[in-house]
């Protein structure tokens, strides 16, 4: 899933438009229209939420995308944080960072949403508040937050991802227990704790495990050397 921020070669005008949006300091979305032109939608002042779909009445209308439902997904601000939900509105589902959305989840700067064939980048230039579902690269390793046992669990969870080219397929809880020698009950407890710490508690367990693994790799906490 290629980001609309890096698709092709951004023009100087497009880069300046993004810089201008960042200077405002409010969250915004970036996507490409059917002719490949950059579109920026500010989320400032949208207290009632933002709908995405093919219908003209949608706040972000994408009539050219045949795989997008008429009403596909909704972004809503809750307690100062933006969230995305599908709630069964779409036929083809909504995807965040390559994982199919189930229910509602918080968004963080750099998250990629795929609705139909259209990919939108969520950009939040404001100061980060607390632990979100997406981490700045290197954040975990630079400021250790996890115990040695939790790091062992994470390394085992991610191990298959360094040899599997078919997407996100981390180890199962049982495989993590076998690789680490940590009791299965402790593995489940540690991963559930990590899921809550990362704001993923509303995800179904398989999706939650995949997202934990993705964040561990993106943050640099787990590397290919650990997975060998």
């Amino acid at each position: 899933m290629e980001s609309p921020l890096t698709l092709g070669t951004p023009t100087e005008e497009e880069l300046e438009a993004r810089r201008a949006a960042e200077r405002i300091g409010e969250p915004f979305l970036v996507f490409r229209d059917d002719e490949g032109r950059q579109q920026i939608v500010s989320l400032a002042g949208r207290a009632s939420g933002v709908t995405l779909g093919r219908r003209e009445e949608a706040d972000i209308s994408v009539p050219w995308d045949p795989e997008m439902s008429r009403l596909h997904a909704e972004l809503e601000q809750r307690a100062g944080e933006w969230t995305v939900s599908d709630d069964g509105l779409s036929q083809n589902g909504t995807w965040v960072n390559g994982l199919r959305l189930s229910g509602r989840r918080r968004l963080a700067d750099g998250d990629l949403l795929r609705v139909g064939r259209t990919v939108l980048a969520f950009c939040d230039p404001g100061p980060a508040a607390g632990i979100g579902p997406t981490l700045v690269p290197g954040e975990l390793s630079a400021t250790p937050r996890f115990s040695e046992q939790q790091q062992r669990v994470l390394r085992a969870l991610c191990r298959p991802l360094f040899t599997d080219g078919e997407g996100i397929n981390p180890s199962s809880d049982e495989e993590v227990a076998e690789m680490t020698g940590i009791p299965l009950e402790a593995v489940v407890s540690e991963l559930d704790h990590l899921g809550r710490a990362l704001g993923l508690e509303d995800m179904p367990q398989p999706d939650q495990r995949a997202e934990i693994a993705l964040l561990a790799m993106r943050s640099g906490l787990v590397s290919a050397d650990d997975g060998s």
Side-chain angles (χ1 to χ4, degrees), residues 30-41 53-56 59-69 115-120:
V30 180
F31 65 100
R32 301 270 172 180
D33 64 18
D34 55 333
E35 296 183 0
R37 296 171 300 195
Q38 175 179 275
Q39 303 294 325
I40 296 179
V41 177
R54 285 203 333 269
R55 292 180 63 96
E56 182 179 348
D59 296 308
I60 299 179
S61 177
V62 187
W64 60 83
D65 188 338
E67 294 183 12
M68 188 179 292
S69 297
V115 286
R117 297 178 182 175
T118 303
V119 177
L120 304 94

Side-chain angles (χ1 to χ4, degrees), residues 188-205:
V188 173
S189 177
E190 294 286 27
L191 286 171
D192 286 345
H193 172 79
L194 291 169
R196 290 192 299 272
L198 297 170
L200 308 174
E201 62 270 19
D202 292 333
M203 274 188 171
Q205 191 179 81

